[in-house]
Each structure stands twice: as structure tokens, then as C-alpha cells.
Amino acid sequence: MSGNNDIATLEEELPLEALPLDAWHRARGARMVGFAGYHMPIQYDGIMAEHGWTREHAGLFDVSHMGQLTFSGEGVDAALEQILPSDIKGLKPFRQRYSMLLDSDGGILDDLMVSRLGADAFDGAAIYMVVNGATKYDDIGWMIDYLPDEVVMNHMADQALLALQGPEAGEALGALIPETADLLFMQSGLFTWRGVPLWISRSGYTGEDGFEISVPADDVTLLADALCALPQVKPIGLGARDSLRLEAGLPLYGHDLSPAVSTIGADLGFAIQKRRREEGGFIGHARVMRELADGPDAKRVGLTIEGRLPAREGAKIYAGGAQVGEVTSGGFAPTVGAPIAMGWVSLPHAALGQALEIEVRGKRIAAVVAPMPFVPHRYRRKA
Amino acid sequence: MSRYFTDEHEWIDVEGEIATVGITDYAQEQLGDIVFVELPAEGTTFEKGDDAAVVESVKAASDVYAPISGEVVESNSALEDEPALVNSDAEEDGWFFKLRIADTSELDGLMNEAAYKKFVASL
């Protein structure tokens, strides 16, 4: 057994922690599971019903396990541009961007959202970042190693995070905070609700219109109660969050993204703006430039699947007799009404329309490389 | 007809030499929305404990074991069109397959309904 495995075993044995809404979820009948070191609600009424509710109304997700960080100090933009491939200097106040942490080989250490605060939020810090829950402590360690002393990073462990997602999310949040109606996709702002400061961005990870709301842990129960008292809103578990984001074609870190894969192959080149590609100066730049010039070895693709048998993560993908890839996320897509998958396929077999086969329990099922998203995004953009 | 239960959450109705097998209401509740059921072909023979069927929920695939040894004489074709029958009627119309029982003594170690209810309550 390797050292890495020993560490993994140790981590699994650490007791799970309770998040601020733990009792709230249990009181509403959530089934709780261990995820990213916390007890998390996997479902309430059932994944199909919750998925459908979010697509038609508004679902409230507790994503407090995710890491919320702020950055302040002299030279914070330049320092962050060393470790993020995205344009931070050009990020305007109240704007948000999708970005990644890359290692020196250009492999993906995490994907994240970065925003410029530009308000009196979070003690006047300049930049706010949300990283994945399972990777947050590794991310913090990585950034501590690379950030200069002048930049102060704060992990806001006492801040909860809610996501309100769905076509009625705007109407629902507007009932509590009318000013949020002005936000467009990837914009954010500081709002006040009953005296509680809320940092709200119009974003999420379901493909639907919606918001992510950063709220002090002490006030999150009150806010969750107020939201779920609205007729449009029901609490939704992580099971439906996963099926929603898969239909939206959004990759999940630790599954579709990992240190073994690169941004260009992952089709995340949009996160690296032109100036950054040209100027470089970030960790992993060489791999990005090489793949932009020569193409990646493999690509992340969407797969539609014939029949009703779902192909799960780890299922091997074949073109004739040769294995050409592997499924990294897969399951039954409630809105599509059929199984779908996301996977990595070697470049010659990654073109749209490419016919492939996936092996599920010794059987080969037919699959086709398909455009993503599987369900159209409904973000609220400028008309 | 007598009904038996296993600690793997299967139920078995025995009528003469034929056993009808399904998963319990508790099991379907745990699995959540069922979207696909893979059933054994007629004529397949199982030893007790063999993998006999697979239940796919939205999230995951779960194996169903043969609770006793025998030969499959029928699979529930209704589940092909409507796998959600397992959610709505796990212990009647949502049955999986029928076996010709190879060894009736294997039934001796199984639970009756009262014992199974007690077992579930202890989980």
C-alpha cells in the first residue's frame, strides 16, 4: 500500500462534522450522508422529484461545505494572477469569474469562482473566492505556498453558503430582497436582509437561473426558513444537484476534473482570457499553450446513451476493440428522461456524433458524443 | 403461501416449488427513484448468494442476490417498461423473478415478516 493510500484511509476515518444547517435538514426529513468531511443532505423527497422541482420552481441547496476565502493586501491582483490562469486585474467590482488552480504540469487542482468585492463586504477585502469542499484545505495550503506575505487570505469558516436555483429563484429571492432583481448572471453584490449582510451572486451550478448567497452561519437557519416559507422554494439535496449539473454539462471536480487532466481538454479554455494566454505568468501556462497549439490528447465530452441502462463513473469507453476513454460522471437524467454521461475520450474519437460503446457489467451499450449542455442553460443575461 | 425475508432486504413468496423474489419496501425506499432493473434470463441457475439482478437508481447501481438456489422460470417483464413499479409496489407488482426452488431447506434460515420488521427497526 502506498503512502497516499494511508493518508486517504486516515482522512476517511476522521469523524464527519456538522454544518450550521445540520439540524434544519434533519428536521425536514433529509437523508444525510458523509461528503467532503461533513454530514450532508443527499435527498428529501427523492432525487427525481427534487430535480424536477428545481427545473420548474426554485430549489434551495446547502453548499456550506464549500470553502469561502477572501484575499486582501498590497498587490493582491498580481499575486492571484500567479496562481490563477484567469484575468483578475480586469475583473470589475461585483463581477464573478469561473477559474481554476493549476499545478506546474497544467493539471487541475480545483475549479472555483472568483469575484471582486468592491463593497464593504467581508471587512473590505478585495477578492472573494469559493472553492470545492473536498479540496478546500489542499487549496489553502497550495495558495499559502505561493502567495506573498503582503497578501492576506482569510478562510471564512463561520460563513454558510446557500444556492437558490430554478426559474422562480429570482421571484422568490425578490420577495425577501427586491434589489436582487437587478443582478445578471455572474454579477454579485452586498445586500442586507433583516440587518444581516448577505453577499449574493447570480450564479450556481445547475444550469438554471439562480443565486449563491453567503450568509453568516449564525443567521443561516433564519434565512433558510424564510426562503422555504415561500411557495416557490423547497429544500433540495446533493443528489439532485449532481443530476442537474450533469444535465447542464458542468464538470464536477474529483470526477470530471482532476490533476490528471488539463483545461483545454476539459473545454474550460474560456476561463483563460486572451491576455493571460499571451502573457502567461501563471502556474501551468506551458501546458495550456502547448494544447492550444497542438490540441490536447483527450477531451471531456458529453455522451448520449441508447436504451435505459445508465453508464456510471469508471465505465470504459470503446471504439471497436480499443478502449478510447472512460466515463467520469454518469446517471439517469430526469429532465432528459434517459441516461447520459460525461467522460474523457482520446482526441480522434471526441468529435460530435462519434459513435462509441460503453461497457457496463460486461455488456456493450451504444453511445454517441453529444453536444453539451444536455438541457439548455437558462441564465439571466442582458437582453 | 408463505413469505420469507432476508437480511439483504429481499422477500420471497413460496408457492409449491416456485419462489417469487423481490426487494422489500424498505430497500426501495433506501435506493430512491429506480430507473432501470436488470433481470436474469429464463433458465439461468443460481446458487444462494449469487448476483441475480441489478437495480439502478438515479444515483447508483445495486446488486440483488439470489436469496436461495434455483432456476429462473420467469422474469417480471413489466419492470422493463416501468422500473418505477419497484418504488410504487415493491412487495407485489414490483417482483423481480420466479425461481424453481432447488433446496427447500435453504428457506429455514430466513426471517418471517415479524422478524424482518424487527430487523429493519434495529438498523
Side-chain angles (χ1 to χ4, degrees):
Chain A
M1 184 184 280
S2 76
N4 281 341
N5 282 338
D6 287 337
I7 290 165
T9 311
L10 274 176
E11 282 176 352
E12 278 165 24
E13 285 171 359
L14 287 172
L16 297 173
E17 291 181 57
L19 286 164
L21 280 179
D22 192 273
W24 188 90
H25 294 306
R26 292 175 197 273
R28 274 155 192 79
R31 185 180 301 163
M32 305 295 278
V33 298
F35 180 78
Y38 300 95
H39 295 285
M40 298 287 285
I42 184 89
Q43 67 171 63
Y44 294 84
D45 300 334
I47 293 173
M48 297 274 255
E50 293 168 39
H51 182 112
W53 181 269
T54 306
R55 287 264 184 258
E56 285 166 27
H57 306 285
L60 184 68
F61 301 81
D62 179 11
V63 287
S64 299
H65 63 297
M66 299 182 86
Q68 297 182 71
L69 310 172
T70 60
F71 300 84
S72 49
E74 183 82 27
V76 62
D77 288 5
L80 284 171
E81 285 205 348
Q82 303 271 315
I83 51 172
L84 300 177
S86 304
D87 180 5
I88 304 302
K89 291 173 183 166
L91 184 61
K92 292 182 188 137
F94 309 109
R95 295 301 167 95
Q96 187 172 35
R97 236 166 219 168
Y98 178 82
S99 191
M100 282 155 283
L101 287 180
L102 305 181
D103 66 20
S104 51
D105 295 326
I108 302 175
L109 295 173
D110 200 6
D111 65 339
L112 54 92
M113 292 296 241
V114 58
S115 336
R116 185 172 305 279
L117 289 160
D120 290 333
F122 306 133
D123 298 324
I127 298 287
Y128 168 70
M129 192 185 282
V130 179
V131 301
N132 277 298
T135 47
K136 65 185 175 190
Y137 293 111
D138 290 339
D139 293 353
I140 289 168
W142 175 264
M143 290 193 277
I144 284 172
D145 283 347
Y146 285 98
L147 289 173
D149 293 344
E150 297 75 41
V151 172
V152 177
M153 173 172 52
N154 181 28
H155 176 210
M156 297 187 293
D158 53 357
Q159 198 76 1
L161 191 66
L162 301 179
L164 185 68
Q165 302 282 298
E168 293 176 2
E171 185 190 331
L173 192 61
L176 301 189
I177 312 164
E179 305 83 50
T180 55
D182 296 334
L183 290 175
L184 296 173
F185 185 57
M186 299 300 259
Q187 292 182 352
S188 38
L190 182 66
F191 299 85
T192 305
W193 174 74
R194 294 190 191 171
V196 178
L198 304 176
W199 178 257
I200 300 176
S201 63
R202 197 147 199 162
S203 57
Y205 220 59
T206 60
E208 296 293 330
D209 181 24
F211 304 88
E212 288 195 341
I213 306 165
S214 180
V215 47
D218 288 346
D219 301 301
V220 66
T221 302
L222 208 61
L223 178 60
D225 275 340
L227 286 166
C228 287
L230 298 166
Q232 301 95 339
V233 183
K234 278 189 178 183
I236 306 295
L238 289 186
R241 184 176 164 85
D242 191 49
S243 52
L244 288 159
R245 72 90 200 162
L246 178 59
E247 285 184 339
L250 302 170
L252 184 62
Y253 195 81
H255 302 267
D256 314 299
L257 305 179
S258 73
V261 305
S262 67
T263 49
I264 302 305
D267 200 21
L268 301 175
F270 70 88
I272 312 174
Q273 286 75 21
K274 191 162 168 268
R275 176 177 67 80
R276 302 302 323 273
R277 294 180 185 197
E278 288 169 4
E279 291 177 10
F282 61 86
I283 302 166
H285 179 245
R287 167 90 164 269
V288 171
M289 293 312 288
R290 192 172 70 238
E291 294 193 353
L292 281 171
D294 305 339
D297 299 335
K299 277 178 78 172
R300 177 175 67 91
V301 298
L303 296 157
T304 50
I305 291 165
E306 200 169 284
R308 292 189 63 86
L309 176 61
R312 310 283 181 183
E313 181 174 358
K316 291 174 177 161
I317 302 172
Y318 289 87
Q323 192 194 336
V324 298
E326 195 173 299
V327 171
T328 49
S329 288
F332 186 82
T335 304
V336 176
I340 58 171
M342 201 181 278
W344 280 79
V345 173
S346 64
L347 196 64
H349 300 95
L352 288 179
Q354 168 78 49
L356 296 166
E357 286 183 314
I358 305 178
E359 191 173 284
V360 179
R361 294 189 291 277
K363 270 197 295 252
R364 294 282 185 91
I365 53 177
V368 175
V369 175
M372 292 194 284
F374 298 96
V375 171
H377 293 161
R378 293 198 282 186
Y379 304 136
R380 187 168 176 273
R381 299 180 192 273
K382 210 176 279 177
Chain B
M1 188 171 70
S2 2
R3 179 166 281 202
Y4 301 86
F5 293 86
T6 74
D7 55 9
E8 298 282 356
H9 306 286
E10 291 126 357
W11 56 265
I12 304 121
D13 276 348
V14 176
E15 213 168 357
E17 59 171 355
I18 301 298
T20 304
V21 178
I23 65 169
T24 64
D25 201 47
Y26 173 84
Q28 70 75 20
E29 173 82 34
Q30 292 296 308
L31 291 169
D33 300 302
I34 290 164
V35 296
F36 187 86
V37 185
E38 191 172 304
L39 295 170
E42 214 173 293
T44 313
T45 56
F46 291 128
E47 295 292 316
K48 181 180 177 171
D50 284 352
D51 290 345
V54 182
V55 190
E56 300 261 5
S57 68
V58 179
K59 279 295 282 180
S62 312
D63 290 323
V64 175
Y65 308 108
I68 52 172
S69 308
E71 181 190 344
V72 177
V73 294
E74 190 184 347
S75 282
N76 186 359
S77 58
L79 296 184
E80 283 173 26
D81 299 327
E82 202 187 341
L85 261 182
V86 182
N87 291 121
S88 58
D89 199 8
E91 299 194 12
E92 295 296 338
D93 291 351
W95 62 275
F96 279 27
F97 53 84
K98 294 178 195 268
L99 286 176
R100 179 168 290 112
I101 302 169
D103 179 0
T104 47
S105 74
E106 286 177 355
L107 295 167
D108 295 346
L110 302 179
M111 289 177 269
N112 63 19
E113 184 156 15
Y116 178 70
K117 272 190 177 158
K118 228 169 152 178
F119 168 68
V120 165
S122 74
L123 296 176

